[in-house]
Amino acid sequence: MATVKEKIGYALGDAAAGGITWKIMSIAFPLFFTNVFGLSFADTATLMLIARMFDVVTDPLMGSLADRTQSRWGTYRPWLIFGAVPLGLIFALLLYTPDFGPSAKRVYAYTLYLLMMVVYTAVNVPYGSLLGVMTSDDNEKNQFSSYRMVGAYAMGFVTLLSFPYLQKMVGGTEAHQYAVLGAGFGVLAAAGTLACGLMTRERLKPVRAEKFSFKQFGDLFRNKPWIFLTLIGICTNFFNGFRYAVAGYMLTYCLGGEITVSGLIINYTVFMTFGELTCMVFGGLSPKFTEFVGSKRRAFVIAAIICAVFSVCFFFVPMDPGYVWEMVALVVLTSVGVGLYSPLLWSMYADVADYATEKNGTSSTGLIFSSGTMAQKFGTAISGSLVALFLGIAGASMTTDELGNAIVDPASITDSVLTMIWMLFSLFPAAIAVLMIVLIKIYPIKK
């Protein structure tokens, strides 16, 4: 029986990865790369696309490697313990803007972003796989998943809410602000990851394959539950990815920039913080909700319907700062659905891992959970890439400032660009939520 301390330790892992590094990468990076670092829309879209193709190879290999790790710290925990410092360091360097020319800056961004994806994979795939070896009890798996989501969303709430205030506290140029905050949040991410590795326990021994074989990859593609769940995982991350990647552009261009209401600064990070708080609350309630409705699948369908309905409603809110509280209310209502389905997804990956072990006779827990991490990165970054691509198609373009740095051309932000931004935050995610409903209806494991 796992203790509350261990569950908190497990939550710290996703507080670091999901609540700090991935949250900032999802919401701040598209705007940072184009408006601060100086990459063009095309360069930003290409960077994220290349990184995702890279992950298609590295994530499954990392899962297979993690499954075969044997050490005195266990199978999956050593990757967190020894990967903590590289994760924080590379994240910090990625938010630093060097005084290079355009070509050198492009090389710097591509190199550091790909390195970040490698180290994130090396930490997060084993982290997800831990769920399969900490307990065999299905209810306890749901509890661990719930703690994980609460940890991620609670830290995401703190990260996004504090970001604009910390920027003002640091002062100086935006590049300086991002560099300082990158270093600070990098230290926190490293500390949370290390604490997770030290505070958790591996109670179950994986049934290891004797040697590496490509047969396990073939078995994966013959595993129907895994195929459907991977598609569902990609969709959930597309849903969030569009919203987080476009939030900065929406607040900057559709609503005229930072809004101050009764002393509260509402910029793009704070705007999404309301959703983070809601996700934290309903992520914690997800196990009880699932028990109430009777199955994971039914709970997931209800959650996806909530996401679809309120995303469509957002599209019809006037594009005016005076309606900011109506927008916040719809973000909160949409996030009820996100909070409910997020823990379910990782619990369902554990079900698929158990199914694969029973069917094939050997454990592929790391390999299966790697697809969850791959879906997370694929969905989030491809959506970020598509946001940059669609804004370019709608007419947004780059120009240079008086120092020769690449910036978004204000003259290119036409009504068609504003409408595209609004749709990317509302109608695009709604369509993805409908697809999630279709996929979960035909998902084979009836739990």
Side-chain angles (χ1 to χ4, degrees):
M1 188 76 175
T3 63
V4 172
K5 179 182 176 182
E6 185 178 1
K7 291 171 185 174
I8 292 172
Y10 188 65
L12 288 174
D14 215 16
I20 297 177
T21 57
W22 200 255
K23 197 64 65 181
I24 292 175
M25 288 172 72
S26 299
I27 193 169
F29 272 25
L31 192 68
F32 167 74
F33 278 133
T34 56
N35 289 26
V36 179
F37 193 90
L39 294 184
S40 69
F41 282 110
D43 279 335
T44 302
T46 303
L47 167 60
M48 295 183 174
L49 183 62
I50 290 173
R52 293 300 66 75
M53 297 304 102
F54 187 62
D55 287 336
V56 169
V57 176
T58 59
D59 280 37
L61 288 177
M62 183 63 230
S64 181
L65 177 60
D67 282 335
R68 285 161 178 75
T69 300
Q70 299 186 55
S71 76
R72 65 187 180 118
W73 297 280
T75 299
Y76 304 113
R77 291 172 56 240
W79 293 96
L80 280 76
I81 294 169
F82 296 103
V85 172
L87 178 75
L89 177 62
I90 295 174
F91 175 76
L93 290 173
L94 197 48
L95 281 169
Y96 172 72
T97 304
D99 187 18
F100 294 161
S103 297
K105 286 176 77 173
R106 192 180 300 119
V107 171
Y108 181 91
Y110 275 55
T111 303
L112 266 294
Y113 196 84
L114 290 175
L115 278 175
M116 184 64 195
M117 291 301 97
V118 170
V119 73
Y120 188 90
T121 295
V123 167
N124 213 245
V125 169
Y127 169 73
S129 306
L130 263 177
L131 184 61
V133 295
M134 288 191 296
T135 179
S136 59
D137 182 83
D138 199 48
N139 289 330
E140 203 164 47
K141 286 177 184 177
N142 286 343
Q143 292 171 20
F144 269 112
S145 292
S146 181
Y147 268 83
R148 171 184 182 165
M149 290 298 104
V150 170
Y153 287 123
M155 184 55 75
F157 170 77
V158 172
T159 300
L160 299 185
L161 181 63
S162 65
F163 208 90
Y165 296 96
L166 291 173
Q167 282 183 291
K168 290 183 181 298
M169 186 185 302
V170 171
T173 65
E174 280 193 285
H176 174 70
Q177 293 166 11
Y178 275 95
V180 172
L181 293 184
F185 281 115
V187 170
L188 287 178
T193 302
L194 180 62
C196 177
L198 296 175
M199 292 171 67
T200 49
R201 288 180 57 196
E202 297 186 22
R203 293 176 177 81
L204 308 177
K205 296 291 185 185
V207 183
R208 306 177 195 275
E210 291 184 5
K211 59 182 180 179
F212 177 84
S213 170
F214 283 104
K215 178 181 180 297
Q216 61 186 322
F217 295 97
D219 289 339
L220 203 58
F221 285 95
R222 287 189 289 270
N223 185 332
K224 284 184 65 177
W226 173 81
I227 293 171
F228 281 106
L229 191 58
T230 298
L231 292 173
I232 293 166
I234 290 172
C235 285
T236 63
N237 287 287
F238 266 129
F239 181 85
N240 277 333
F242 277 117
R243 296 167 70 243
Y244 279 96
V246 81
Y249 296 112
M250 185 174 73
L251 266 289
T252 301
Y253 300 116
C254 296
L255 302 181
E258 189 177 280
I259 303 167
T260 302
V261 183
S262 301
L264 174 66
I265 298 173
I266 303 179
N267 74 342
Y268 67 101
T269 63
V270 176
F271 185 76
M272 298 305 288
T273 295
F274 294 100
E276 291 296 303
L277 182 60
T278 307
C279 287
M280 179 184 71
V281 173
F282 283 88
L285 294 174
S286 182
K288 290 292 184 185
F289 177 73
T290 303
E291 186 179 339
F292 174 74
V293 301
S295 75
K296 295 177 187 178
R297 175 155 48 175
R298 192 173 295 120
F300 202 105
V301 168
I302 294 170
I305 290 172
I306 292 170
C307 291
V309 169
F310 290 112
S311 293
V312 171
C313 290
F314 191 98
F315 179 75
F316 295 99
V317 178
M319 198 183 298
D320 186 312
Y323 289 87
V324 68
W325 289 118
E326 287 82 355
M327 298 174 205
V328 166
L330 287 171
V331 166
V332 167
L333 291 169
T334 303
S335 298
V336 170
V338 177
L340 290 174
Y341 74 58
S342 294
L344 291 173
L345 188 68
W346 292 104
S347 180
M348 289 158 72
Y349 272 114
D351 295 338
V352 171
D354 292 343
Y355 170 87
T357 300
E358 183 179 337
K359 181 179 179 183
N360 302 320
T362 57
S363 173
S364 54
T365 301
L367 184 59
I368 286 170
F369 272 92
S370 74
S371 61
T373 305
M374 182 178 69
Q376 179 188 40
K377 292 191 288 186
F378 187 87
T380 303
I382 290 295
S383 55
S385 177
L386 289 174
V387 163
L389 179 64
F390 284 134
L391 292 183
I393 291 172
S397 61
M398 305 295 291
T399 186
T400 55
D401 62 14
E402 62 275 9
L403 300 176
N405 297 314
I407 60 170
V408 177
D409 184 0
S412 71
I413 307 300
T414 60
D415 286 345
S416 64
V417 173
L418 297 179
T419 301
M420 176 62 75
I421 292 172
W422 212 249
M423 290 174 62
L424 285 166
F425 194 85
S426 55
L427 297 186
F428 278 64
I432 295 298
V434 172
L435 180 56
M436 284 158 52
I437 294 168
V438 173
L439 290 169
I440 198 67
K441 283 284 190 180
I442 52 180
Y443 172 65
I445 295 180
K446 319 275 188 206
K447 280 192 176 183

